[in-house]
Amino acid sequence: EMQALILRLKNFLEYVVVNLIDEPSHAQIKVREIEPGVLRFKLILVNRDVSMLIGREGHTAAAVRSVLQAASRIHGVQTILQIHSHETEAGLGSE
């Protein structure tokens, strides 16, 4: 059941983000259950798309996070969305 929910939330996030960035073919979404009922989504984009999605004051990223959290809350799950560039992700290693 959790895997089905993860897939639905991942597909939802992908649908929203693809329509907000310039290079969706370079986007990656990684999901990990970091503790029971808490999912961490890592959205990994090219630098320009990170800047575009986060924006000057973070309103777009905040809206995406809010909608993802609302969708997951219906199923009793908490979500965390991190937005990184490919370079930042490479520097973090596989966390």
Side-chain angles (χ1 to χ4, degrees):
E1 184 178 311
M2 181 60 85
Q3 290 301 329
L5 175 60
I6 288 171
L7 183 60
R8 283 201 315 270
L9 292 171
K10 186 175 177 180
N11 288 340
F12 169 75
L13 182 59
E14 184 177 326
Y15 174 78
V16 170
V17 170
V18 158
N19 290 290
L20 296 173
I21 60 175
D22 286 335
E23 297 190 46
S25 63
H26 291 97
Q28 292 180 330
I29 300 173
K30 295 181 181 180
V31 186
R32 183 170 167 205
E33 188 171 14
I34 56 175
E35 59 184 74
V38 181
L39 301 174
R40 179 182 62 201
F41 286 78
K42 280 188 175 183
L43 182 56
I44 306 161
L45 309 169
V46 297
N47 277 326
R48 187 176 69 230
D49 285 343
V50 170
S51 299
M52 184 182 307
L53 188 61
I54 293 175
R56 291 184 183 231
E57 296 180 23
H59 294 299
T60 304
V64 171
R65 282 186 179 103
S66 293
V67 173
L68 182 63
Q69 288 169 353
S72 66
R73 203 173 299 124
I74 293 169
H75 301 282
V77 174
Q78 180 183 353
T79 54
I80 299 166
L81 174 61
Q82 298 175 326
I83 303 169
H84 295 182
S85 68
H86 288 281
E87 294 80 5
T88 300
E89 183 66 14
L92 292 174
S94 60
E95 188 180 312

